[in-house]
Amino acid sequence: MSVTVRFAPSPTGHIHIGNARTALFNWLFARQNDGRFILRFDDTDAERSKAEFAHQIAADLRWLGIEPDRTAYQSRRMDAYQGAAEKLKRAGLLYPCYETPDELERRRRIRLSRKLPPVYGREALKLTEDEKAAYEAEGRTPHWRFLLPNFDDDPFAPERTDVHWADIVRGPQGVDLASMSDPVLIRGDGSYLYTLPSVVDDMQMEVTHVIRGDDHVTNTGAQIALFEALGGEAPAFGHHNLLTAASGEGLSKRSGALSIKSLAGAGFEPMTVASLAVLTGSSTAISAMADMDALTEAFDIGAASRSAAKFDSADLDGLNETLVHGLAFDAVRDRLADAGIDVDDRRAETFWAMIRANVKKVPEAADWWPIIVAGPTDEAALDGDDLDYARNAFDVLPEGEVDGTTWKAWTDAAKAQSGRKGRALFMPLRIALTGRAWGPELSDLLPLLGREEILRRRP
Ligand code: GLU
């Protein structure tokens, strides 16, 4: 069977760099295996899920360079989940429970005081039909739990039952089904928690590999049991380590910190963000990959480390700068246009080749464009000796066409004329030409300006 993966965010906020890690692990794994990538919105929580978040997540993935082969919404697949729930109920594997959160908490404390594991004791399995009817008459609606296969004949005597799988990230894994409570699959209001819909979708969408964060390892034990209860075969699983903020704190969709949207808005390159999202917390050296092909090649799903990895947003700057310095004009043309640069101007391409070494982010080039085409935007601060020197120096600009050799010839002439050298020699000229004390190589700038424009800038 060909490889099929899915990225399954719940659209309850903006995805952050840690979610992008999961999406990219799936995307790169699919690319390495000639597989398919499904974007599946886990939006069964009608109250918290918002269409605008789903749109933004799709846009964020596009920005990162991920193009799903299919997009699905769990909210539109309720019939499938209901069918699966009915099947489990008929088999006696999904049972109604009426406890309130307070009652559950009280029982949990009693179990702890008796040195029993604080898991659900399956008391609801003992309810008679009359007792259930009485609860319903009281206005209680049941929530439904999945009876985990962790016992021989007596559900009240669970035994150690290890579920094993060969995790494609972490290696051999096992979870003891007796160490957990029967999971609630359907809430009291009839809505589904993610556990059952996820398994039903993975079966019906023929997902071959579930790649997700290691906060789901325990769920995997219960989900493998669910696959079997529904007559399906569990896919392969891979659980990668999570990213935390530099402070060690977990990333949250709700806080908006390090959201893909905000990183895009801050002018970072998609490949900077993608490279860091994937390579942080792995044994592969971190560098900014030029494109998705390079990242696909560098990606090794088994290289992710076991423990949580700190994502330091300061790393974004350095990596982005390196990447930007190597970007060709065609790769940034649209963004330069968005930033207000006339990309059809005959100078635009040469301008980019020159200025990219002076910017950390592509949009910063827009600062320089008016300086090149129209003149200094800051007031040139030349006075006294420097002003006199610069004026005289403009008189010895070499004759003829201005090219890459002009700057050297010009400063040689200005040096002979003034006796200045080093900074005192070139800085007044830089300031006269650009209004700034730093910037692009002047040997590159002069041909871009041309003779007439240079002389027009004589202070
Ligand atoms: N909606 C779940 C999450 O975002 C999906 C987990 C999974 O991939 O199965 O954590």
Side-chain angles (χ1 to χ4, degrees):
M1 203 173 10
S2 66
V3 164
T4 300
V5 297
R6 84 303 191 272
F7 172 55
S10 36
T12 54
H14 294 304
I15 53 168
H16 51 61
I17 188 103
N19 305 123
R21 179 177 181 82
T22 307
L24 283 160
F25 267 51
N26 279 286
W27 173 245
L28 296 170
F29 186 77
R31 282 177 57 110
Q32 285 179 339
N33 292 285
D34 214 3
R36 279 162 41 80
F37 176 101
I38 300 172
L39 167 59
R40 192 180 76 209
F41 289 110
D42 281 9
D43 58 351
T44 54
D45 182 342
E47 208 154 293
R48 290 176 54 226
S49 300
K50 300 265 179 296
E52 63 193 84
F53 289 133
H55 291 149
Q56 186 61 49
I57 290 170
D60 290 343
L61 295 186
R62 224 176 298 124
W63 181 80
L64 282 166
I66 294 175
E67 297 155 35
D69 296 291
R70 172 178 175 188
T71 299
Y73 294 82
Q74 291 195 324
S75 56
R76 301 178 192 169
R77 296 178 38 76
M78 289 300 171
D79 289 352
Y81 313 141
Q82 200 170 339
E86 291 306 327
K87 185 171 174 179
L88 293 173
K89 285 180 191 172
R90 279 196 302 275
L93 297 176
L94 190 59
Y95 61 97
C97 305
Y98 295 84
E99 295 91 345
T100 63
D102 281 349
E103 285 163 353
L104 288 172
E105 179 53 27
R106 215 173 316 129
R107 282 211 206 120
R108 202 181 72 91
R109 272 193 254 118
I110 294 173
R111 287 183 73 96
L112 279 174
S113 70
R114 293 190 189 146
K115 306 239 175 313
L116 291 168
V119 296
Y120 180 61
R122 293 177 165 156
E123 289 80 359
L125 274 183
K126 295 180 186 150
L127 294 175
T128 63
E129 290 309 315
D130 285 349
E131 285 167 325
K132 290 182 203 170
Y135 276 131
E136 303 208 6
E138 235 179 67
R140 293 201 199 190
T141 51
H143 52 276
W144 296 77
R145 289 187 190 261
F146 172 52
L147 185 64
L148 287 170
N150 56 10
F151 56 93
D152 207 4
D153 331 291
D154 179 4
F156 302 103
E159 292 167 8
R160 181 173 183 129
T161 311
D162 286 320
V163 174
H164 295 282
W165 71 93
D167 197 285
I168 60 171
V169 182
R170 296 162 63 89
Q173 297 290 301
V175 168
D176 174 14
L177 295 183
S179 70
M180 57 181 104
S181 299
D182 287 342
V184 175
L185 302 188
I186 307 175
R187 298 185 186 90
D189 66 2
S191 66
Y192 290 90
L193 279 106
Y194 113 98
T195 317
L196 177 68
S198 178
V199 167
V200 171
D201 286 347
D202 290 342
M203 280 169 66
Q204 295 192 358
M205 295 174 188
E206 299 187 337
V207 169
T208 57
H209 295 77
V210 170
I211 301 168
R212 57 188 179 185
D214 61 16
D215 50 338
H216 286 290
V217 168
T218 313
N219 290 344
T220 297
Q223 285 190 326
I224 289 177
L226 254 183
F227 276 103
E228 284 166 11
L230 290 169
E233 204 185 306
F237 287 89
H239 295 90
H240 64 73
N241 55 339
L242 300 184
L243 299 183
T244 68
S247 61
E249 217 177 299
L251 302 173
S252 141
K253 259 200 213 129
R254 257 152 287 169
S255 75
L258 294 174
S259 73
I260 299 306
K261 184 171 183 249
S262 69
L263 295 173
F268 289 110
E269 295 303 298
M271 284 312 301
T272 303
V273 175
S275 304
L276 264 176
V278 170
L279 301 177
T280 301
S282 83
S283 56
T284 309
I286 298 180
S287 62
M289 299 290 155
D291 53 34
M292 205 48 94
D293 287 342
L295 187 56
T296 305
E297 189 139 327
F299 175 62
D300 172 3
I301 197 160
S305 40
R306 289 292 194 94
S307 48
K310 282 190 181 158
F311 178 81
D312 190 348
S313 48
D315 292 343
L316 283 164
D317 295 311
L319 229 48
N320 201 73
E321 190 171 353
T322 313
L323 200 61
V324 167
H325 293 177
L327 287 177
F329 180 65
D330 281 343
V332 295
R333 199 189 152 94
D334 292 349
R335 273 175 306 142
L336 293 179
D338 289 346
I341 292 171
D342 177 7
V343 289
D344 294 322
D345 188 295
R346 65 183 165 74
R347 291 164 292 186
E349 188 164 354
T350 324
F351 163 73
W352 172 251
M354 171 186 79
I355 212 68
R356 63 185 182 175
N358 292 95
V359 297
K360 292 189 167 73
K361 293 175 182 167
V362 172
E364 290 168 15
D367 256 16
W368 285 98
W369 181 246
I371 298 176
I372 308 305
V373 296
T377 49
D378 308 335
E379 274 306 309
L382 285 178
D383 45 31
D385 284 355
D386 281 348
L387 185 58
D388 291 342
Y389 154 68
R391 283 183 176 155
N392 293 332
F394 270 74
D395 293 339
V396 295
L397 177 70
E399 295 294 326
E401 206 194 319
V402 176
D403 61 21
T405 66
T406 304
W407 173 247
K408 168 91 174 58
W410 186 17
T411 44
D412 283 349
K415 186 183 203 169
Q417 181 196 46
S418 65
R420 288 185 174 222
K421 52 186 188 220
R423 195 181 153 85
L425 178 71
F426 66 76
M427 189 54 82
L429 301 180
R430 174 182 284 289
I431 290 176
L433 290 167
T434 67
R436 290 185 171 180
W438 61 281
E441 293 289 339
L442 289 159
S443 53
D444 294 334
L445 179 73
L446 296 185
L448 193 61
L449 294 177
R451 175 166 209 89
E452 205 178 312
E453 185 58 29
I454 296 171
L455 292 176
R456 207 181 61 77
R457 297 186 187 189
R458 181 178 187 272

